[in-house]
Amino acid sequence: MGILNVTPDSFSDGGQYLDVEAAVAHGLALFADGADLVDVGGESTRPGAQRASVETELARVLPVVGRLTAAGVPVSVDTMRAEVAVAAVAAGAVLVNDVSGGLADPGMLPAVAALDVDYVAMHWRGHSDRMADLADYGDVVTDVTTELAERLAAAIAAGVAADRVILDPGLGFAKTAVHNWALLRGLPSLAALGRPLLVGASRKRFLGELLAGPEGPRPVGERDDAGLAITALLAAAGVWGVRTHTARPQRDAISVAARLSVGNPFGGAADR
């Protein structure tokens, strides 16, 4: 899943693709480089971010979704709002990627059920301006697994078909670096919920902290090699998908992992 942020304030590439033409060109490039989905988002969820209005989010997202889908690019929409999800699917999106797992908008799960599209439910505890205060867990793997199981049950209760749901542990969302690494090691617990897993580690702060030098954390633009290592390991384990800022290098890492993989505990496609 290739990331396409049509925002002025995303942590890695804020402002680069706010212009429709620039966004469409980048989406086409991601697809050409091997992204199976281009994930278009019009609201930053970086730590501390303030919410965009629904009107602003729609204005950012819809022209890009429409242009990309018209060009044959499979598009997902990264949104917490039912209204945006409905409009984006009408414009051609085939998947709703909701970082709140249906908690930010009570209309989201019923809307997704009516849309009959695939749905990513991420682990989430609150909006970006306060999520750092919510990173309190007894055991992060157990707690995230329990809370995602609740979101899966809520989606099914709202009418979303179970086989439409993909789960995401939400690395960096109300989680410290220690939490993120524990979740990556503990993915089999999440896989036991019986749904495919999407993991988004690309360029995140915990990678910068891991690679820190005398001057502090590794800058955002210099974290891609570490992200490739995570992609290869996840692909070897059979995780359903990774959400990343680049596509071709990730596809290369996945190909290598698939060729070398001898075990596949998550039941994905790594041994094809």
Side-chain angles (χ1 to χ4, degrees):
M1 180 184 280
I3 298 168
L4 179 51
N5 293 316
V6 287
T7 61
D9 55 346
S10 292
F11 81 93
S12 173
D13 53 10
Q16 282 186 255
Y17 309 114
L18 191 58
D19 174 75
V20 172
E21 296 300 327
V24 170
H26 187 57
L28 291 171
L30 285 168
F31 181 59
D33 281 348
D36 295 300
L37 286 164
V38 174
D39 194 41
V40 179
E43 180 179 19
S44 175
T45 52
R46 64 173 176 78
Q50 298 296 312
R51 298 209 70 186
S53 69
V54 64
E55 294 80 11
T56 296
E57 189 180 354
L58 286 165
R60 291 172 178 171
V61 165
L62 293 185
V64 178
V65 172
R67 290 270 300 276
L68 288 176
T69 57
V73 177
V75 170
S76 55
V77 60
D78 174 11
T79 185
M80 294 182 277
R81 291 182 166 115
E83 182 177 347
V84 177
V86 170
V89 171
V94 297
L95 179 149
V96 175
N97 180 18
D98 177 7
V99 301
S100 82
L103 290 170
D105 182 346
M108 178 63 90
L109 296 179
V112 171
L115 292 170
D116 194 29
V117 294
D118 290 341
Y119 176 66
V120 174
M122 196 192 79
H123 178 264
W124 184 86
R125 285 186 164 182
H127 288 291
S128 298
D129 59 352
R130 65 186 188 93
M131 67 181 178
D133 298 327
L134 303 173
D136 184 17
Y137 301 89
D139 177 274
V140 68
V141 175
T142 299
D143 292 351
V144 169
T145 301
T146 298
E147 292 169 31
L148 273 180
E150 292 170 355
R151 300 321 305 154
L152 174 59
I156 293 170
V160 181
D163 63 1
R164 287 288 205 180
V165 181
I166 297 128
L167 301 177
D168 182 341
L171 301 183
F173 287 78
K175 297 173 189 75
T176 66
V178 171
H179 295 146
N180 293 334
W181 290 115
L183 284 166
L184 286 169
R185 289 190 296 269
L187 287 178
S189 292
L190 291 173
L193 295 174
R195 300 306 312 136
L197 300 180
L198 173 70
V199 178
S202 184
R203 298 181 182 173
K204 288 191 173 178
R205 182 183 301 172
F206 77 106
L207 296 179
E209 293 174 1
L210 174 71
L211 304 172
E215 298 181 355
R218 183 77 61 85
V220 170
E222 299 176 18
R223 301 172 186 173
D224 283 345
D225 289 346
L228 285 171
I230 289 179
T231 290
L233 291 166
L234 294 177
V239 167
W240 176 84
V242 289
R243 184 176 183 272
T244 66
H245 291 85
T246 61
R248 185 176 181 183
Q250 309 293 334
R251 176 63 69 189
D252 292 348
I254 290 166
S255 296
V256 170
R259 190 70 181 87
L260 289 175
S261 180
V262 294
N264 193 5
F266 298 144
D271 54 358
R272 284 210 297 258

